[in-house]
Amino acid sequence: MPDTAFSSPLPSPNISIPSPNLSPATKSSDEHPPTPRPVRVLCLHGYSSNGILLEKHLQPIRSRLPQSWEWHYIDGDYPVPLSTSPPGEHSCRSYYPTPDAHHIDEAHCQVHLYTLLNGLGYDIILGFGQGAALAASILLHEQRDWQIGESEFKLGVFFSSTIPYAKCLQAGYNARHVFGIEGETPEVVKDRPTDVPGEMLPTEEQNRFQCQEHETVWEEDFNVVKRVDKDGVVWRAETRLCMSLEGHEGCRGARKTDKTVVVDKGERTFYQMFHPDVEEARIQIPTVHIHGRNDPWRVQGRALMRMCDEDKVQYAIHEGGHEIPGWGEDLDDVVEAIREGLKEAGIPLEDDE
């Protein structure tokens, strides 16, 4: 019996479709063989970011890779609550406000629709934070649902990834209780384990990080019941996060907003956390994993590594936190890991003459 999945309509997304300067297709003939297309990279930004910011942060890395490559960026559908950025293309966005199965399915649809509209084909899928988790979820579902021999992509590059979530209900841990949804477990997920490993839950260090870097979501009575972090994870109020309207030292504080995230506590709300202990699917293409030594989410990224073919994994750790390094030895190490991944994937490392 196939897995249960949410079937959402095609989104009316805020999709940023690039208009690359592509030369007209050359007709195939003995005299005029078709011109090889450039390597194409599909890029997914982190929570509370956008494609423009990700492009800026990737520039030091891009400068050390072939200049003929095309880099395409998808902006998430959801504006981030309490975003202080101006409206329009520079606004901060996310692919999902909370990683329940419905929103994960919706995010998958956005990415697949983008690739269909472009019709170009992509060699590399690259993500940061929430974008890396979404990229990993897409690759895991390729293996889990389609059981395909070859992925659409040749290489996955994950910067500061958090743990990916599934769009179907018979995958990973049933993590509803982690998100404050209590009560009787619906029949459709009763056979899924619920003992989510402790290291996957927020620590005090992560709470401090969230206090400084994230904002609070308020319900209509302005009592805190949920909080959405930088990578789209919603934690319960019991996790000792800052809940003061004025904030405190080291915290930006919070303010009332009409952009609330209301988590439906009914039986249609499911959180299915991919984890190597309870999920057999493995990403088969080569992957590159990059984390900061001081990144509070590093433990989740290491769990993702275990859901990849261990013989095709490249790993780099830098001295920073939840960020993309842009200089010094950290940048050298990251670029070297990516270049090793490219070799494993059979992607050219130099521009064609």
Side-chain angles (χ1 to χ4, degrees):
M1 180 175 179
D3 288 337
T4 304
F6 290 103
S7 177
S8 59
L10 287 177
S12 52
N14 299 306
I15 296 181
S16 172
I17 301 178
S19 300
N21 296 321
L22 301 178
S23 57
T26 306
K27 292 183 179 180
S28 177
S29 67
D30 292 339
E31 294 79 14
H32 302 286
T35 303
R37 69 165 177 80
V39 171
R40 295 192 177 107
V41 188
L42 185 66
C43 302
L44 307 180
H45 62 73
Y47 185 88
S48 188
S49 185
N50 57 55
I52 292 173
L53 291 175
L54 179 59
E55 181 177 18
K56 177 182 178 181
H57 294 150
L58 286 173
Q59 187 54 45
I61 295 171
R62 287 183 55 175
S63 69
R64 300 197 186 186
L65 296 171
Q67 297 305 296
S68 64
W69 287 14
E70 291 179 4
W71 300 70
H72 297 185
Y73 301 83
I74 307 178
D75 282 336
D77 271 351
Y78 289 89
V80 172
L82 300 178
S83 172
T84 57
S85 59
E89 63 180 356
H90 296 286
S91 63
C92 295
R93 310 194 67 81
S94 68
Y95 298 104
Y96 43 84
T98 180
D100 65 32
H102 170 76
H103 283 101
I104 295 298
D105 185 37
E106 190 177 63
H108 279 232
C109 285
Q110 184 191 358
V111 174
H112 291 314
L113 176 60
Y114 180 94
T115 60
L116 286 173
L117 289 176
N118 276 281
L120 299 175
Y122 291 91
D123 303 279
I124 301 168
I125 186 167
L126 176 153
F128 173 83
Q130 186 190 83
L134 175 57
S137 178
I138 289 170
L139 294 172
L140 284 166
H141 273 285
E142 280 186 349
Q143 296 299 321
R144 193 179 196 287
D145 303 341
W146 306 344
Q147 297 180 343
I148 59 177
E150 291 187 7
S151 171
E152 173 186 358
F153 304 98
K154 298 177 183 176
L155 177 68
V157 180
F158 308 126
F159 286 91
S160 300
S161 183
T162 52
I163 198 72
Y165 281 76
K167 66 177 182 177
C168 65
L169 307 185
Q170 290 300 308
Y173 283 105
N174 167 14
R176 298 175 90 225
H177 66 286
V178 174
F179 294 86
I181 302 178
E182 306 293 353
E184 184 177 355
T185 301
E187 192 69 34
V188 70
V189 291
K190 272 193 173 177
D191 62 337
R192 300 310 305 167
T194 60
D195 52 337
V196 176
E199 66 269 17
M200 294 295 104
L201 303 179
T203 64
E204 188 142 1
E205 180 185 10
Q206 290 168 345
N207 291 342
R208 287 197 299 271
F209 179 80
Q210 291 167 356
C211 233
Q212 295 167 3
E213 301 294 337
H214 308 100
E215 294 160 331
T216 304
V217 177
W218 306 82
E219 280 195 333
E220 290 183 1
D221 61 0
F222 304 118
N223 291 320
V224 179
V225 293
K226 302 288 177 185
R227 183 187 177 94
V228 181
D229 73 18
K230 187 176 181 181
D231 290 307
V233 179
V234 178
W235 302 117
R236 291 181 291 177
E238 298 93 276
T239 54
R240 295 168 296 178
L241 297 170
C242 174
M243 302 174 199
S244 168
L245 278 171
E246 292 74 30
H248 56 73
E249 184 179 358
C251 177
R252 296 177 185 174
R255 56 185 170 84
K256 297 177 182 180
T257 176
D258 57 359
K259 294 184 180 300
T260 58
V261 175
V262 179
V263 179
D264 177 16
K265 293 191 178 182
E267 290 193 354
R268 293 295 291 171
T269 303
F270 299 93
Y271 291 86
Q272 303 300 131
M273 180 192 289
F274 275 127
H275 192 276
D277 290 349
V278 294
E279 180 57 48
E280 294 183 2
R282 294 292 183 266
I283 296 173
Q284 298 298 314
I285 63 173
T287 55
V288 181
H289 304 256
I290 299 156
H291 282 88
R293 195 177 303 279
N294 300 307
D295 186 348
W297 305 104
R298 180 181 165 197
V299 64
Q300 294 196 5
R302 293 184 69 85
L304 170 59
M305 289 176 61
R306 292 172 51 205
M307 286 184 281
C308 301
D309 185 332
E310 62 181 9
D311 294 329
K312 300 177 183 177
V313 165
Q314 301 296 327
Y315 179 63
I317 184 166
H318 56 85
E319 297 303 318
H322 198 71
E323 62 195 68
I324 297 176
W327 60 84
E329 293 183 4
D330 285 342
L331 176 60
D332 295 340
D333 292 343
V334 168
V335 172
E336 181 59 28
I338 292 174
R339 291 177 69 88
E340 289 299 317
L342 292 168
K343 291 178 184 178
E344 181 71 35
I347 297 174
L349 287 167
E350 305 298 335
D351 286 314
D352 294 329
E353 296 295 335

